[in-house]
Amino acid sequence: SGTTLTWGDEVVFSSATTTNTGICYSTGQDVIMIGWSGPSSNTIYCIAATVGSDKTFSFGSAATVDSGGDGSNQSIAYGMIEYNPTYDTATVAYENGGDSGHNYVAAVSVSGTTCTVGTAVEFDDTSEELFGQSYDPDIGKTVLVYDNGTKVGARVISQSGTGNRTISLGTEALFANNSGLTVQEYYGGMVAAYDTSADRHHVLLYDDSASAAKLTYFTVSGTTVTWSSGTAGTVSSGTVSNNETGGGIAYNAARNRIITYGATATSTSSDYNFEYHTISGATYTSQGSATIIEEGLRTRSQHVPSVQTNVGDLANKTIIVYSDVGGSTGGGRVKLLDPGV
């Protein structure tokens, strides 16, 4: 309590190696949901757990999203799993090795801690592994943001049928310039962040014409995505397009600021930085320089995604999910942090 940080016990949800791990919280079912790639990235799983007041987790059985028997399945940018409170489901996105590495998404519903997986749908017919998801509360739908190998695209997920597990996709909308999400490599942060002040999604991308990372946004009406035609914002943090730079984006509603983060070089001795940005109309104003988070970060593939919730047994607590990198199995772990009140 007060300024005291209290950790719950580490809980193992997979004894086998886990990679590309993501987490979300189901407000409808009051459970956490974890999506990950199994051993050798050959199987995509989803599992749910209740959380006790004593910071413990009680997991159900893992459900298979894609067996991976026909090829390697994975994702690189953090965005594998996203909860949609309107449909009370999570959507799990992944690269399908059985279909030439094309990108697919499936809806998963939960009853208790039992996950039921719907039929996966292809959302991008290229083998790029960079994508993310961003929930839009204004329309009650989740938007996929992805790299199609030439440009960054976005399309809306609509859901229906039993358990809202049937997916249909809106028309693809592409950013104007040749671009990509390579600033998120490798196992970086979120590719898009929803702005509650103006109902828009900010995107951190690499603009080929500028040879630099840029900040832009799109809006959504119904199932139609419209990219901004304004001048993209300049980014000093995480400007490199390459493996191990681990860039990402977040939005701070309290301060109405966008935060970008990442490394400015691919060297393992390079610094990991962040930078804040504001926007007025369609014009971004950036901090203009990167603030160092950590000097000489040796690996950027181990950053842990987390979720902050404020209801039930999870009030004012943060859940952290991660892989046991360097351990005997590399298995999946989860624990809860109580930062005090």
Side-chain angles (χ1 to χ4, degrees):
S1 62
T3 58
T4 302
L5 298 177
T6 305
W7 289 98
D9 293 334
E10 180 182 76
V11 177
V12 178
F13 63 86
S14 173
S15 58
T17 301
T18 61
T19 55
N20 317 309
T21 309
I23 189 170
C24 63
Y25 174 71
S26 167
T27 56
Q29 303 300 314
D30 195 20
V31 296
I32 63 167
M33 301 176 72
I34 298 173
W36 78 96
S37 300
S40 302
S41 300
N42 283 331
T43 302
I44 304 296
Y45 295 101
C46 185
I47 197 169
T50 57
V51 184
S53 57
D54 56 351
K55 306 181 186 68
T56 59
F57 299 88
S58 179
F59 281 94
S61 299
T64 298
V65 178
D66 192 299
S67 65
D70 50 6
S72 180
N73 301 315
Q74 60 181 330
S75 66
I76 290 181
Y78 171 56
M80 169 177 276
I81 188 167
E82 180 85 358
Y83 176 70
N84 184 316
T86 304
Y87 295 124
D88 194 21
T89 62
T91 43
V92 179
Y94 62 97
E95 180 197 35
N96 187 345
D99 186 16
S100 302
H102 293 181
N103 296 320
Y104 278 66
V105 61
V108 182
S109 61
V110 178
S111 177
T113 56
T114 300
C115 296
T116 303
V117 182
T119 302
V121 175
E122 181 182 278
F123 66 87
D124 177 30
D125 63 357
T126 67
S127 59
E128 297 296 326
E129 302 169 325
L130 294 161
F131 46 77
Q133 302 182 68
S134 182
Y135 174 67
D136 191 319
D138 189 49
I139 61 170
K141 299 180 188 296
T142 299
V143 185
L144 288 157
V145 184
Y146 52 92
D147 184 334
N148 76 357
T150 303
K151 294 184 177 182
V152 174
R155 58 197 313 182
V156 176
I157 301 173
S158 296
Q159 296 172 235
S160 60
T162 304
N164 291 316
R165 295 190 298 271
T166 300
I167 287 178
S168 59
L169 298 174
T171 302
E172 177 182 70
L174 298 174
F175 180 64
N177 298 345
N178 285 355
S179 52
L181 296 175
T182 47
V183 288
Q184 275 76 28
E185 293 188 277
Y186 208 80
Y187 305 120
M190 293 296 294
V191 302
Y194 180 73
D195 181 340
T196 56
S197 71
D199 295 328
R200 55 190 166 194
H201 302 256
H202 300 283
V203 179
L204 175 65
L205 52 76
Y206 192 85
D207 188 330
D208 292 353
S209 63
S211 297
K214 292 290 183 178
L215 190 59
T216 188
Y217 70 88
F218 62 80
T219 57
V220 183
S221 177
T223 59
T224 301
V225 173
T226 303
W227 288 90
S228 170
S229 59
T231 302
T234 300
V235 177
S236 298
S237 55
T239 57
V240 175
S241 172
N242 210 329
N243 186 7
E244 298 294 336
T245 53
I249 185 171
Y251 173 73
N252 185 313
R255 295 182 178 274
N256 191 23
R257 287 184 175 182
I258 306 105
I259 299 96
T260 56
Y261 52 91
T264 52
T266 59
S267 168
T268 55
S269 62
S270 65
D271 297 333
Y272 200 72
N273 311 303
F274 80 91
E275 179 184 16
Y276 70 82
H277 316 262
T278 59
I279 184 169
S280 177
T283 302
Y284 288 96
T285 300
S286 297
Q287 178 182 352
S289 61
T291 300
I292 296 174
I293 299 174
E294 184 169 355
E295 295 182 352
L297 190 64
R298 283 188 267 180
T299 177
R300 282 172 278 277
S301 63
Q302 298 174 24
H303 291 295
V304 288
S306 63
V307 57
Q308 172 72 53
T309 59
N310 296 288
V311 295
D313 291 332
L314 299 178
N316 302 314
K317 299 178 179 68
T318 300
I319 304 167
I320 296 179
V321 63
Y322 52 94
S323 298
D324 181 28
V325 178
S328 59
T329 66
R333 307 288 194 267
V334 64
K335 64 169 58 177
L336 191 144
L337 171 64
D338 185 347
V341 294

